[in-house]
Amino acid sequence: MTASRAPAEPTVREFEATVDRVDGREVVLDETYFYPESGGQPADRGTIDGHLVDDVFERDGEVVHLLDDDAGGSLAPGDEVTGLIDDAFRTYCARAHTASHVLYGAARRIADDLGYAGFDISPEKVRVDLTTAEPLGDDELIELERLANRAVWDSLPVSWATYPADEARDIDGIAFNTKTEEGAMSGGDAVRVVTVGGGADAGGNPAADPDAAPWDVAACGGTHVENTAEIGPISVLDRSNPGEGVTRVEFAVGPTAIDEIGAVHGAALDAATTLDARVGDLPDAAARLRDEVDRLETELRDARGELLAARLRDLPTADVDGAHWAIGTVDDADPNELREPTTAAVEADGDLDALAAVGTGDAPFVVVAADGGDDAGVDAGDAVSAVTDEFGGGGGGGPTFAQGGGLDADPEAVAAWLRER
């Protein structure tokens, strides 16, 4: 058994060890400070006696270092080697992993029936999956970011310790998920618990307030910083719902968070300049702009309706099977837009029994409106069925309005057929 010492001593970057076993690119040491991929945290990067480490993973109770080349010719059991861990990447992972605890602690304070469903660290962002009774809204997302950054600013101590499994499960408020935190389990009988805030720091030294309730406490096998102040800014990037009852929150720490904060600030300043407002007044300015857009859209819709009505009034008329029809083609319209104006045109003209408008464009269609009176006997649905029987496509409707689409014919030819049938 060669468990990694990284979770217990996350600040170690260089160590000496003895080669225990070599199998091609795989090397097992008598002890290691390389962190093996586990629980959403990626494996450490670095070198062993100058050989680049491509991957680190646990297998059958051993930590296996996968080198980028065959070490069989240069390393052998019993060799003393030096391990060097990539400082920048380890530091990033420790900060990001601790930030996930801070974010979860913040989520506890804004969401009911909260549960932990896992997390993942990538070079650009971190995701935390939460089980929530209701999806987090925009206001809650903003509060989540605010609370998390406040916990960073408050410089909360971060500590870790190992407990018997039964004792760990009984810790008040512990986030305990054996499926997502397998790295926290030590042979199944002991559990590593990470506490943010509370009465002691990582070295066991008393905090300023020994009776303070922890910000977060969770079973976890990852590497962490010793104080939340080391995390730096946390920027929430997005949230989604990958499954029922699960809210996924994506956030950034470090340079990515700094860049995101700058980009958001820059976008806010650009928007403020465009709207001739201060950044703090953007919500009111945007609301006024939305009202203006709504007003203009209403006016445009009304004007378009009047234009369509005028076009329909100008359609040529013809007597077909004893009924007086208006029949012709219309441009730049869709069937749904024509329902109201065609019906209104028939109702407004006492001499008109029915109106048929054939839409032009790549997908010709026909709409028919009828007055529904018994004298002329025009049934809009029957008329559209006759058109689709003749020219293909499909449609339907009732006696006073019907529509059909997918006609395989020139719109003018359809209109001519309707006049002459």
Side-chain angles (χ1 to χ4, degrees), residues 75-359:
L75 296 179
D79 286 350
E80 298 293 325
V81 295
T82 299
L84 295 176
I85 295 167
D86 185 311
D87 177 68
F89 189 68
R90 164 66 73 80
T91 299
Y92 167 72
C93 288
R95 289 173 173 171
H97 203 149
T98 312
S100 73
H101 289 258
V102 169
L103 199 80
Y104 186 72
R108 288 175 185 261
R109 288 154 175 81
I110 64 173
D112 296 328
D113 300 324
L114 185 74
Y116 176 70
F119 94 115
D120 180 73
I121 297 174
S122 73
E124 298 299 325
K125 61 186 179 181
V126 186
R127 69 164 174 83
V128 174
D129 290 343
L130 310 170
T131 58
T132 55
E134 297 291 337
L136 299 180
D138 289 344
D139 290 344
E140 291 165 314
L141 206 66
I142 292 170
E143 181 66 1
L144 189 68
E145 182 179 82
R146 188 191 72 80
L147 287 174
N149 280 291
R150 181 55 191 263
V152 170
W153 176 260
D154 286 343
S155 301
L156 302 177
V158 182
S159 61
W160 43 87
T162 300
Y163 296 85
D166 291 341
E167 288 186 22
R169 293 177 185 276
D170 290 337
I171 294 175
D172 187 34
I174 189 172
F176 199 108
N177 189 325
T178 57
K179 292 182 179 180
T180 60
E181 286 297 350
E182 67 274 12
M185 311 303 155
S186 301
D189 297 325
V191 177
R192 185 169 180 270
V193 176
V194 174
T195 302
V196 178
D201 62 19
N205 302 308
D209 182 3
D211 297 323
W215 179 262
D216 181 66
V217 57
C220 182
T223 62
H224 300 83
V225 298
E226 295 184 354
N227 191 287
T228 58
E230 299 177 53
I231 296 171
I234 296 174
S235 178
V236 173
L237 304 175
D238 197 7
R239 54 92 163 73
S240 59
N241 302 104
E244 184 177 357
V246 177
T247 295
R248 173 167 294 172
V249 178
E250 296 179 331
F251 65 95
V253 297
T256 304
I258 294 170
D259 291 345
E260 175 69 12
I261 292 169
V264 170
H265 191 199
L269 289 173
D270 287 345
T273 300
T274 301
L275 296 177
D276 192 22
R278 297 182 305 171
V279 170
D281 295 331
L282 278 177
D284 290 339
R288 288 194 298 271
L289 182 61
R290 180 72 263 173
D291 290 343
E292 179 67 8
V293 169
D294 289 344
R295 183 184 67 80
L296 292 174
E297 287 180 345
T298 299
E299 291 181 359
L300 179 61
R301 186 165 53 251
D302 292 344
R304 184 171 176 79
E306 292 175 3
L307 178 61
L308 286 174
R311 290 178 181 173
L312 295 174
R313 287 194 296 269
D314 290 338
L315 292 180
T317 59
D319 290 327
V320 180
D321 290 337
H324 192 56
W325 285 69
I327 303 172
T329 60
V330 292
D331 303 325
D332 301 324
D334 64 55
N336 294 327
E337 284 184 299
L338 287 169
R339 181 182 186 111
E340 183 176 340
T342 54
T343 302
V346 173
E347 292 175 350
D349 190 334
D351 295 329
L352 203 60
D353 297 311
L355 182 153
V358 182

